[in-house]
Amino acid sequence: MTPTRREFGALVLAGAGATAIPSTLLAGSGTAAAQTAAEVPQGTAAEAPWGGPLAPDKPLAKAYDDAARALAGVDDNPMIRWQYRVWCRTGYRSPSSAGTGQPVDELVDPAVDLVSPKGFLFKEYVRPMPTGGVRFLDNAWYFGTDHTGLVIVRTPDGLIMLDALTTPDDMRTQFLDQAAAAGLDPGDIRYVFLGHHHVDHVGGANLIRDEYAPTAKFVMGQPDAAVISAQRADLWERRHEYTEEEFRARLARLPGRIDIEIEAYPGHTVGMKRIRIGRRTTAVAMLAPGHTDGQMHVIVPVVHQGETHKLLVWSGNDNIEKAAQYAVSADFVQGLAGQEGADSFINTHAYQGAAYSHLRALKADPSAPNPLLMGRAGVQRHIEIFGNAHRALAQRLIDGTWQAM
């Protein structure tokens, strides 16, 4: 029995003699990492501080991996194949965290992919996006760098911003100073969706509200909005520990008021809310924990070559220790993406999926192949590979065949 997809919250058993993932872990309330340390014999490579494979898969993890590999082989979309290679086969980690006896390999070609065949992410090759950002659909742009960025969607009801870079300076240099070249007015921003609380996704938010779009509504997952609120309160309490300049700089990177919080359904970790941008535009915001407890993805309407599409904007990815929760969230997002007809996909970390190379190709030649426009079936496969990869990861942590970061 090879698992290809679970109903939300269900438990799947596969493979003779397989160890099943506990239902508590699938619900996100356990931690596989603690079990792994106890189950892996001392003196093995598990002592090395890195994330990735240590030993061959046991039956259940292999079944999930086989299912993901089959989905990845349906077509030649490079972003979908990347999804399988990295999440199922290597994981990714910094070269500095390789650990004794785990050799760091080199990139094949940094112009094409920043993650090496063995799964090491080389940030030193990251470059800013071309001036004016990259228009990857007729009304959608990516601004930032090969590593971290924001997405702008122009709708009949104003601009939508998804994520907000790392610092106010980044927001100014990587977006605001370049908006005019893309034909965009930051004053037209109506909604800002902050995908999760990490500073590289929220650091420029206050600058938008304070200087350009004071009436814009800010949206965030409720658990992460609570984190931001606590961080701001803690910073004020410890203000005396910083110079005035340091305090103001730190405060500037923590978003102020969050206008709309996406909450979990009662008794669940996931949830969603339809947000009316204006009379003609509605976005779907999905609370889907994994990278953080309040991680949020958004589906927005877009247009390309005269046709209407739905773009799924994904904010961040990695957290091997939360693999089981990620699998649950992936099932939830996959279902909503299918319901809404999402047929294009972008992650605001453009190195994930090696999307940055495709963005650069589209900047140089707008008629170049566009793997971000995956079609409905492609988006479904993309998410399902991610879900199966994380079901496999959760089981590998239990089996002691992988190490969490």
Side-chain angles (χ1 to χ4, degrees):
M1 174 178 170
T2 299
T4 57
R5 188 164 186 270
R6 271 197 332 247
E7 289 301 316
F8 170 60
L11 178 62
V12 170
L13 303 179
T19 301
I21 303 173
S23 59
T24 53
L25 182 57
L26 289 170
S29 58
T31 171
Q35 292 175 275
T36 302
E39 295 177 14
V40 178
Q42 292 299 308
T44 69
E47 294 177 20
W50 64 289
L54 302 173
D57 283 336
K58 294 184 179 181
L60 181 53
K62 183 179 185 301
Y64 289 133
D65 186 283
D66 287 346
R69 184 174 63 251
L71 291 167
V74 170
D75 61 26
D76 60 356
N77 186 302
M79 290 181 60
I80 294 177
R81 288 175 176 260
W82 189 100
Q83 189 88 322
Y84 171 74
R85 174 178 77 84
V86 171
W87 297 119
C88 280
R89 304 313 305 156
T90 65
Y92 74 79
R93 60 264 189 204
S94 166
S96 64
S97 66
T100 303
Q102 304 298 332
V104 176
D105 60 339
E106 296 297 326
L107 294 178
V108 174
D109 182 356
V112 174
D113 193 350
L114 296 179
V115 180
S116 75
K118 290 185 181 296
F120 293 99
L121 171 62
F122 288 82
K123 292 184 180 181
E124 59 265 36
Y125 291 98
V126 168
R127 298 172 292 167
M129 277 286 129
T131 301
V134 177
R135 188 177 189 176
F136 62 94
L137 298 169
D138 284 354
N139 67 330
W141 290 257
Y142 178 92
F143 292 86
T145 72
D146 295 338
H147 187 268
T148 304
L150 61 81
V151 170
I152 292 286
V153 175
R154 181 163 56 198
T155 79
D157 299 295
L159 299 180
I160 300 172
M161 174 180 283
L162 300 114
D163 280 353
L165 302 176
T166 306
T167 67
D169 284 346
D170 289 339
M171 179 62 75
R172 197 174 299 281
T173 59
Q174 295 174 16
F175 170 62
L176 294 170
D177 291 349
Q178 301 184 40
L184 301 170
D185 180 356
D188 291 337
I189 294 172
R190 298 292 176 261
Y191 280 77
V192 178
F193 291 85
L194 300 174
H196 64 276
H197 72 76
H198 292 159
V199 70
D200 56 334
H201 295 257
V202 304
N206 287 332
L207 180 61
I208 295 298
R209 168 172 277 157
D210 294 345
E211 297 188 19
Y212 292 87
T215 62
K217 301 293 185 183
F218 285 67
V219 186
M220 197 174 210
Q222 187 277 326
D224 278 18
V227 169
I228 292 290
S229 178
Q231 288 175 337
R232 288 180 65 90
D234 180 69
L235 181 62
W236 277 100
E237 185 175 338
R238 299 170 53 200
R239 182 176 182 175
H240 63 280
E241 298 178 16
Y242 305 101
T243 66
E244 185 65 17
E245 183 179 4
E246 289 171 338
F247 169 76
R248 291 296 172 190
R250 288 171 180 266
L251 189 64
R253 296 194 295 269
L254 293 172
R257 186 184 74 250
I258 301 298
D259 302 285
I260 301 172
E261 298 181 5
I262 311 304
E263 299 182 357
Y265 298 140
H268 294 284
T269 56
V270 298
M272 64 85 72
K273 185 178 182 67
R274 295 187 184 279
I275 297 177
R276 193 170 179 84
I277 306 301
R279 185 172 59 86
R280 294 163 290 184
T281 310
T282 299
V284 176
M286 298 165 286
L287 178 67
H291 191 56
T292 65
D293 290 342
Q295 184 174 15
M296 176 183 69
H297 311 308
V298 186
I299 298 173
V300 292
V302 290
V303 176
H304 192 60
Q305 297 179 351
E307 296 184 358
T308 300
H309 296 271
K310 293 287 185 70
L311 173 65
L312 171 55
V313 182
W314 194 285
S315 177
N317 253 353
D318 69 294
N319 190 350
I320 292 176
E321 292 179 340
K322 290 294 184 74
Q325 174 59 58
Y326 247 144
V328 173
S329 293
D331 285 349
F332 178 68
V333 175
Q334 184 182 358
L336 278 170
Q339 173 184 291
E340 298 299 314
D343 58 3
S344 48
F345 180 99
I346 191 168
N347 193 315
T348 51
H349 275 308
Y351 78 90
Q352 294 184 356
Y356 72 92
S357 61
H358 306 297
L359 291 167
R360 290 180 177 278
L362 288 167
K363 181 73 172 187
D365 178 9
S367 66
N370 188 348
L372 291 87
L373 197 59
M374 297 177 178
R376 294 187 182 189
V379 169
Q380 288 290 295
R381 286 198 307 277
H382 194 268
I383 302 170
E384 189 164 348
I385 290 167
F386 188 75
N388 276 328
H390 284 77
R391 281 184 272 278
L393 284 171
Q395 188 63 43
R396 287 161 169 167
L397 293 173
I398 291 171
D399 293 339
T401 59
W402 274 56
Q403 170 93 357
M405 292 180 68

